[in-house]
Short mmCIF file of all heavy atoms in Angstrom, two decimals:
data_model
loop_
_atom_site.label_atom_id
_atom_site.label_comp_id
_atom_site.label_asym_id
_atom_site.label_seq_id
_atom_site.Cartn_x
_atom_site.Cartn_y
_atom_site.Cartn_z
N GLU A 1527 -2.73 -1.22 -5.90
CA GLU A 1527 -1.57 -2.10 -5.57
C GLU A 1527 -0.61 -1.34 -4.67
O GLU A 1527 -0.41 -0.15 -4.83
CB GLU A 1527 -0.82 -2.50 -6.78
CG GLU A 1527 -1.63 -3.24 -7.88
CD GLU A 1527 -0.80 -3.40 -9.13
OE1 GLU A 1527 0.23 -4.12 -9.12
OE2 GLU A 1527 -1.15 -2.78 -10.15
N ILE A 1528 -0.02 -2.04 -3.67
CA ILE A 1528 1.03 -1.47 -2.92
C ILE A 1528 2.23 -2.46 -2.90
O ILE A 1528 2.01 -3.64 -3.01
CB ILE A 1528 0.62 -1.10 -1.46
CG1 ILE A 1528 0.31 -2.34 -0.64
CG2 ILE A 1528 -0.54 -0.11 -1.47
CD1 ILE A 1528 0.14 -2.07 0.85
N TRP A 1529 3.42 -1.91 -2.79
CA TRP A 1529 4.61 -2.76 -2.56
C TRP A 1529 5.64 -1.98 -1.82
O TRP A 1529 5.69 -0.76 -1.87
CB TRP A 1529 5.16 -3.32 -3.91
CG TRP A 1529 5.73 -2.32 -4.86
CD1 TRP A 1529 7.04 -2.06 -5.11
CD2 TRP A 1529 4.99 -1.51 -5.84
NE1 TRP A 1529 7.17 -1.15 -6.12
CE2 TRP A 1529 5.95 -0.81 -6.58
CE3 TRP A 1529 3.63 -1.38 -6.11
CZ2 TRP A 1529 5.59 0.11 -7.59
CZ3 TRP A 1529 3.27 -0.46 -7.10
CH2 TRP A 1529 4.25 0.21 -7.83
N GLN A 1530 6.46 -2.69 -1.04
CA GLN A 1530 7.40 -2.02 -0.14
C GLN A 1530 8.47 -3.03 0.28
O GLN A 1530 8.27 -4.26 0.13
CB GLN A 1530 6.73 -1.44 1.06
CG GLN A 1530 6.11 -2.51 1.99
CD GLN A 1530 5.27 -1.93 3.14
OE1 GLN A 1530 4.06 -1.98 3.08
NE2 GLN A 1530 5.92 -1.33 4.12
N CYS A 1531 9.55 -2.50 0.85
CA CYS A 1531 10.57 -3.40 1.38
C CYS A 1531 10.14 -3.98 2.71
O CYS A 1531 9.22 -3.52 3.36
CB CYS A 1531 11.90 -2.70 1.53
SG CYS A 1531 11.90 -1.36 2.75
N ASN A 1532 10.80 -5.08 3.13
CA ASN A 1532 10.47 -5.67 4.41
C ASN A 1532 11.13 -4.89 5.54
O ASN A 1532 11.76 -3.84 5.34
CB ASN A 1532 10.87 -7.15 4.44
CG ASN A 1532 12.39 -7.36 4.35
OD1 ASN A 1532 13.20 -6.52 4.70
ND2 ASN A 1532 12.77 -8.57 3.92
N ALA A 1533 10.96 -5.38 6.78
CA ALA A 1533 11.44 -4.61 7.91
C ALA A 1533 12.96 -4.51 7.96
O ALA A 1533 13.49 -3.67 8.70
CB ALA A 1533 10.93 -5.31 9.21
N ALA A 1534 13.69 -5.32 7.18
CA ALA A 1534 15.14 -5.24 7.13
C ALA A 1534 15.60 -4.38 6.00
O ALA A 1534 16.81 -4.16 5.83
CB ALA A 1534 15.73 -6.65 6.98
N GLY A 1535 14.65 -3.82 5.22
CA GLY A 1535 15.00 -2.96 4.13
C GLY A 1535 15.25 -3.63 2.80
O GLY A 1535 15.89 -3.06 1.90
N ARG A 1536 14.67 -4.86 2.61
CA ARG A 1536 14.91 -5.57 1.35
C ARG A 1536 13.59 -5.84 0.67
O ARG A 1536 12.56 -6.25 1.28
CB ARG A 1536 15.63 -6.87 1.61
CG ARG A 1536 15.97 -7.61 0.31
CD ARG A 1536 16.90 -8.80 0.54
NE ARG A 1536 17.16 -9.54 -0.66
CZ ARG A 1536 17.99 -10.57 -0.73
NH1 ARG A 1536 18.65 -10.97 0.35
NH2 ARG A 1536 18.15 -11.24 -1.87
N TYR A 1537 13.55 -5.71 -0.68
CA TYR A 1537 12.39 -6.03 -1.47
C TYR A 1537 12.39 -7.48 -1.89
O TYR A 1537 13.47 -8.11 -2.09
CB TYR A 1537 12.37 -5.17 -2.75
CG TYR A 1537 11.94 -3.73 -2.53
CD1 TYR A 1537 12.87 -2.77 -2.17
CD2 TYR A 1537 10.59 -3.35 -2.70
CE1 TYR A 1537 12.47 -1.45 -1.97
CE2 TYR A 1537 10.22 -2.04 -2.54
CZ TYR A 1537 11.15 -1.08 -2.17
OH TYR A 1537 10.77 0.23 -1.96
N HIS A 1538 11.21 -8.04 -2.13
CA HIS A 1538 11.08 -9.35 -2.75
C HIS A 1538 11.25 -9.17 -4.28
O HIS A 1538 10.30 -9.12 -5.00
CB HIS A 1538 9.73 -9.96 -2.47
CG HIS A 1538 9.61 -10.57 -1.11
ND1 HIS A 1538 10.41 -11.60 -0.66
CD2 HIS A 1538 8.78 -10.30 -0.09
CE1 HIS A 1538 10.08 -11.94 0.57
NE2 HIS A 1538 9.10 -11.18 0.94
N HIS A 1539 12.48 -8.98 -4.69
CA HIS A 1539 12.74 -8.68 -6.10
C HIS A 1539 14.13 -9.19 -6.41
O HIS A 1539 15.08 -8.93 -5.65
CB HIS A 1539 12.64 -7.19 -6.35
CG HIS A 1539 12.64 -6.80 -7.80
ND1 HIS A 1539 13.76 -6.82 -8.59
CD2 HIS A 1539 11.57 -6.45 -8.64
CE1 HIS A 1539 13.45 -6.45 -9.81
NE2 HIS A 1539 12.17 -6.20 -9.88
N PRO A 1540 14.37 -9.86 -7.55
CA PRO A 1540 15.70 -10.39 -7.87
C PRO A 1540 16.73 -9.28 -8.06
O PRO A 1540 17.92 -9.55 -7.95
CB PRO A 1540 15.45 -11.17 -9.15
CG PRO A 1540 14.19 -10.62 -9.74
CD PRO A 1540 13.36 -10.25 -8.58
N GLY A 1541 16.27 -8.05 -8.34
CA GLY A 1541 17.21 -7.00 -8.53
C GLY A 1541 17.72 -6.38 -7.23
O GLY A 1541 18.68 -5.58 -7.25
N ASP A 1542 17.13 -6.73 -6.10
CA ASP A 1542 17.59 -6.21 -4.82
C ASP A 1542 18.69 -7.11 -4.29
O ASP A 1542 18.43 -8.19 -3.78
CB ASP A 1542 16.44 -6.11 -3.83
CG ASP A 1542 16.82 -5.38 -2.53
OD1 ASP A 1542 18.05 -5.28 -2.27
OD2 ASP A 1542 15.96 -4.97 -1.81
N ARG A 1543 19.93 -6.67 -4.40
CA ARG A 1543 21.07 -7.47 -3.97
C ARG A 1543 21.77 -6.81 -2.77
O ARG A 1543 22.96 -6.83 -2.62
CB ARG A 1543 22.04 -7.65 -5.09
CG ARG A 1543 21.45 -8.42 -6.30
CD ARG A 1543 22.47 -8.65 -7.37
NE ARG A 1543 21.95 -9.50 -8.48
CZ ARG A 1543 21.32 -9.00 -9.54
NH1 ARG A 1543 21.14 -7.73 -9.66
NH2 ARG A 1543 20.88 -9.83 -10.43
N SER A 1544 20.93 -6.18 -1.92
CA SER A 1544 21.48 -5.41 -0.81
C SER A 1544 22.18 -6.29 0.23
O SER A 1544 22.98 -5.83 1.01
CB SER A 1544 20.34 -4.65 -0.12
OG SER A 1544 19.39 -5.53 0.46
N GLY A 1545 21.83 -7.57 0.29
CA GLY A 1545 22.37 -8.42 1.35
C GLY A 1545 21.54 -8.46 2.60
O GLY A 1545 21.80 -9.27 3.51
N ALA A 1546 20.56 -7.57 2.73
CA ALA A 1546 19.64 -7.60 3.86
C ALA A 1546 18.84 -8.91 3.79
O ALA A 1546 18.55 -9.42 2.69
CB ALA A 1546 18.76 -6.39 3.89
N PRO A 1547 18.39 -9.46 4.93
CA PRO A 1547 17.68 -10.75 4.89
C PRO A 1547 16.30 -10.60 4.31
O PRO A 1547 15.62 -9.56 4.44
CB PRO A 1547 17.62 -11.14 6.38
CG PRO A 1547 17.73 -9.88 7.12
CD PRO A 1547 18.67 -9.00 6.29
N LEU A 1548 15.84 -11.64 3.67
CA LEU A 1548 14.44 -11.76 3.22
C LEU A 1548 13.57 -12.16 4.40
O LEU A 1548 14.06 -12.70 5.39
CB LEU A 1548 14.30 -12.76 2.11
CG LEU A 1548 14.90 -12.38 0.75
CD1 LEU A 1548 14.92 -13.60 -0.19
CD2 LEU A 1548 14.10 -11.24 0.11
N ASP A 1549 12.30 -11.91 4.30
CA ASP A 1549 11.29 -12.32 5.29
C ASP A 1549 10.24 -13.15 4.58
O ASP A 1549 9.34 -12.58 3.95
CB ASP A 1549 10.68 -11.07 5.98
CG ASP A 1549 9.68 -11.43 7.09
OD1 ASP A 1549 9.42 -12.66 7.28
OD2 ASP A 1549 9.16 -10.52 7.73
N PRO A 1550 10.28 -14.46 4.70
CA PRO A 1550 9.32 -15.31 4.01
C PRO A 1550 7.87 -15.05 4.43
O PRO A 1550 6.95 -15.37 3.68
CB PRO A 1550 9.75 -16.73 4.37
CG PRO A 1550 11.16 -16.59 4.81
CD PRO A 1550 11.29 -15.28 5.46
N ALA A 1551 7.68 -14.47 5.61
CA ALA A 1551 6.33 -14.22 6.10
C ALA A 1551 5.78 -12.85 5.63
O ALA A 1551 4.64 -12.50 5.97
CB ALA A 1551 6.30 -14.27 7.64
N PHE A 1552 6.60 -12.10 4.86
CA PHE A 1552 6.13 -10.79 4.34
C PHE A 1552 5.83 -10.92 2.89
O PHE A 1552 6.68 -11.28 2.08
CB PHE A 1552 7.17 -9.71 4.62
CG PHE A 1552 6.72 -8.32 4.22
CD1 PHE A 1552 5.55 -7.79 4.68
CD2 PHE A 1552 7.49 -7.60 3.32
CE1 PHE A 1552 5.13 -6.53 4.31
CE2 PHE A 1552 7.07 -6.34 2.91
CZ PHE A 1552 5.90 -5.78 3.41
N GLN A 1553 4.61 -10.59 2.49
CA GLN A 1553 4.17 -10.75 1.12
C GLN A 1553 4.84 -9.75 0.15
O GLN A 1553 5.07 -10.04 -0.99
CB GLN A 1553 2.65 -10.57 1.07
CG GLN A 1553 1.93 -11.07 -0.16
CD GLN A 1553 0.47 -11.15 0.07
OE1 GLN A 1553 -0.01 -12.03 0.77
NE2 GLN A 1553 -0.29 -10.21 -0.51
#
Side-chain angles (χ1 to χ4, degrees):
E1527 302 171 64
I1528 67 170
W1529 66 100
Q1530 65 187 106
C1531 65
N1532 66 23
R1536 183 170 177 178
Y1537 284 86
H1538 282 300
H1539 191 284
D1542 187 343
R1543 298 184 175 90
S1544 64
L1548 290 169
D1549 182 357
F1552 183 56
Q1553 196 166 288

